[in-house]
Amino acid sequence: MKRNAYIAAALLLAGLSACNNEPAFTVKGEITDAADKMLYLERTSLSGIVPLDSTELDEDGSFSFSAARPDAPDFYRLRVENQIINFSVDSTETVQVNAGLKNLATGYQIEGSENNTKIKELVLLQAELQEKINRLTQSGLPIGIAQDSLQRMVDAYKDTVKRNYIFVSPNKPYAYFALFQEVNGYLIFDPLTNREDVKCFAAVATSMNNMYPHADRSRNLYNMVIKGMKNTRAPQVKPLEVPAEKIEETSIIDIPLRDENGTLHHLTDLKGKVVLIDFTVYGAAESGARNLLLRELYNKYKGQGLEVYQISLDSDEHFWRTSADNLPWICVRDPQGPYSTFLRLYGVSQLPTSFLVNRENELSLRVDANTDLDAAIKNLL
C-alpha cells in the first residue's frame, strides 16, 4: 500500500510539473497607493472580458501574474475598480508595469515590447481626443457648428493614427488595437460604411491573415472587411424631393417601425410632444458625435416634452441593436436601409437628416447645418 501511495504521489507531482512547464507570459510590477484594493488580470476576447487572475494589493503594491501564452497576438488588461491598463502579448515575454492608482489608466509606465509602448501612446491620444470632445459639448455652440468642429477633430485624429500606427505597421498588434478605439462608446474608425476607414481594416486584416490565418481575430477582421467593402459599394440614396405643400396637406407622414425589443412605434402616437425625427446610420463615422450632441439636448428638454424618434438605416441589424441599446430615446430600424420608402416620402437625399414636429403632430422644420437646434426646440416647447 505504501508503495502504491508513493507512485500515486509521484504521478501527481509529475502532472503538476508538466502544467507548470506550459509556455506562459508574465506581467508584474507595482501599483502604488492601492493597499487593500483588488487587482485583476483579464483577457479582452472577441466575445467580452475573460477573468484570468486576481490579487489583493498590499502596502508596496507589488504583483505578479502568469498566464498561458496565446497562440496568436492577443490583448489583456490590468484593472483596479474601473481603471484599466491595456497591453498585448504575443509570446512568453515578461511585461513590467508600474503605476499609481490616482492616474492608473493614463499615467502608467510599461516595459517589455514596442507594441505596448505604442498602445500606451494610442491610449494617451484617445484620452486627449475625449477631453476635447467633452469641452466642445459643454461649449454651448449651436449643434450644426459644434458637429462640424467635432467632425474635424475626429478626422484629424484618424489621419494621425492612420499615418503613424496603422499603415506604417499593419502587421503589429498596436495597429489592430488602433482600429477599435472608442469615444463615448462609439468606434472612431467605421468598419462598415466609411470607404476610407474600411481600407485601414483591410490593411490590418491582410497582414493578420498572412501571419495568423487560423486565429479568431484574423477571421473576424476578415469578415468585417468583406462586409464593409460590400456596404461601401452599395448604391447611394438618390435625391428625391417631396413638394412642401404635399407634406403640409398630410400634416405628418407616419413612420411605423419596431425598436430593438420588437415594440412597434408610430409617430402619430407622439401627438402632444415636440418630436425630433432623425434619419441616421449608426455605423457612420459621424454617428457617435451626432448622438452625443443629441443626448445633451434630450437630457435638457425631455422633462418639458421633447422626444427623439430615431430611424436607423443600418444594414447590420446586430450592430444597430448594440448601438441602440445605449440610447435613451425611441430607436427604430427600417430593414430596407437606403431603399427605405420613408426616405423618399420625406425627401431625404443624405444621411443624417432631421426634422422637427410640433405638439400638434405637424411637420415644422427641416434641420440643417445652420439651424440653432436648441433654440428651435425651445421655441416649439
Side-chain angles (χ1 to χ4, degrees):
M1 291 294 292
K2 278 189 177 182
R3 184 172 182 274
N4 290 338
Y6 289 142
I7 293 173
L11 289 173
L12 178 60
L13 289 172
L16 291 173
S17 177
C19 291
N20 290 336
N21 288 332
E22 289 182 0
F25 72 88
T26 299
V27 54
K28 63 181 182 178
E30 293 181 358
I31 308 294
T32 59
D33 302 319
D36 302 324
K37 299 286 187 181
M38 291 300 298
L39 173 66
Y40 298 90
L41 173 65
E42 301 168 331
R43 184 168 72 91
T44 308
S45 74
L46 290 174
S47 57
I49 302 301
V50 179
L52 296 180
D53 205 348
S54 64
T55 187
E56 183 175 333
L57 297 169
D58 56 20
E59 288 293 335
D60 67 7
S62 61
F63 67 92
S64 181
F65 295 124
S66 290
R69 183 197 69 183
D71 294 329
D74 212 343
F75 296 89
Y76 301 83
R77 66 186 207 173
L78 294 170
R79 178 174 65 84
V80 179
E81 296 176 339
N82 63 345
Q83 295 197 76
I84 62 173
I85 295 172
N86 291 292
F87 64 97
S88 70
V89 170
D90 60 8
S91 185
T92 57
E93 70 253 46
T94 296
V95 179
Q96 177 78 30
V97 178
N98 295 301
L101 182 63
K102 186 176 181 180
N103 61 342
L104 184 80
T106 56
Y108 66 92
Q109 300 296 320
I110 191 163
E111 301 173 6
S113 72
E114 178 195 18
N115 280 313
N116 289 322
T117 300
K118 295 293 186 181
I119 287 173
K120 166 74 181 298
E121 292 174 8
L122 286 163
V123 166
L124 292 178
L125 286 172
Q126 183 272 343
E128 181 183 5
L129 175 63
Q130 182 69 70
E131 179 60 29
K132 289 179 180 178
I133 290 174
N134 292 344
R135 289 199 300 268
L136 181 63
T137 58
Q138 298 167 10
S139 66
L141 290 172
I143 187 169
I145 297 173
Q147 186 170 330
D148 289 343
S149 298
L150 197 146
Q151 192 59 55
R152 286 194 295 271
M153 288 180 190
V154 172
D155 288 343
Y157 180 89
K158 290 201 289 188
D159 287 343
T160 297
V161 172
K162 287 177 187 179
R163 183 175 62 254
N164 296 331
Y165 297 91
I166 296 176
F167 289 133
V168 70
S169 296
N171 61 323
K172 300 289 188 180
Y174 63 78
Y176 181 98
F177 181 86
L179 294 176
F180 293 96
Q181 286 193 290
E182 299 179 350
V183 287
N184 295 311
Y186 293 93
L187 289 175
I188 298 172
F189 287 90
D190 172 15
L192 297 176
T193 61
N194 185 299
R195 186 187 300 271
E196 294 304 312
D197 290 359
V198 170
K199 292 178 182 177
C200 297
F201 282 83
V204 178
T206 300
S207 295
M208 287 191 65
N209 274 277
N210 287 337
M211 298 177 67
Y212 309 100
H214 303 298
D216 289 342
R217 289 189 188 275
S218 299
R219 292 195 296 267
N220 181 69
L221 196 59
Y222 175 81
N223 291 334
M224 290 178 67
V225 170
I226 294 300
K227 185 176 290 187
M229 292 175 68
K230 179 181 178 181
N231 290 346
T232 54
R233 285 199 298 263
Q236 300 297 310
V237 179
K238 295 182 179 180
L240 179 61
E241 295 297 328
V242 176
E245 63 270 16
K246 293 295 183 183
I247 295 178
E248 290 171 5
E249 288 174 6
T250 57
S251 180
I252 190 172
I253 302 168
D254 194 16
I255 302 179
L257 290 171
R258 296 187 183 278
D259 64 19
E260 68 272 23
N261 297 314
T263 303
L264 184 66
H265 294 270
H266 289 265
L267 272 174
T268 50
D269 292 337
L270 299 174
K271 188 172 183 178
K273 291 179 175 288
V274 171
V275 181
L276 176 70
I277 306 173
D278 188 54
F279 292 92
T280 192
V281 175
Y282 292 155
E286 66 270 19
S287 175
R290 180 180 179 81
N291 280 344
L292 178 65
L293 295 169
L294 289 182
R295 188 187 288 264
E296 293 288 322
L297 291 170
Y298 182 77
N299 290 341
K300 184 176 181 180
Y301 291 117
K302 66 179 179 179
Q304 299 178 42
L306 174 68
E307 185 56 83
V308 175
Y309 192 91
Q310 194 166 53
I311 303 103
S312 160
L313 287 305
D314 290 86
S315 58
D316 188 322
E317 183 177 358
H318 176 72
F319 182 81
W320 162 69
R321 287 182 183 278
T322 302
S323 301
D325 188 52
N326 297 318
L327 297 173
W329 49 73
I330 297 172
C331 304
V332 296
R333 174 176 173 266
D334 190 338
Q336 297 183 70
Y339 305 103
S340 169
T341 300
F342 301 117
L343 289 180
R344 297 195 296 274
L345 290 174
Y346 274 83
V348 176
S349 59
Q350 63 181 11
L351 296 172
T353 292
S354 298
F355 300 86
L356 276 175
V357 176
N358 65 22
R359 293 186 186 272
E360 298 303 315
N361 225 208
E362 298 169 336
L363 203 60
S364 176
L365 176 69
R366 178 190 287 258
V367 178
D368 60 32
N370 297 317
T371 301
D372 185 340
L373 191 53
D374 189 299
I377 291 171
K378 188 175 182 180
N379 182 57
L380 291 177
L381 289 169

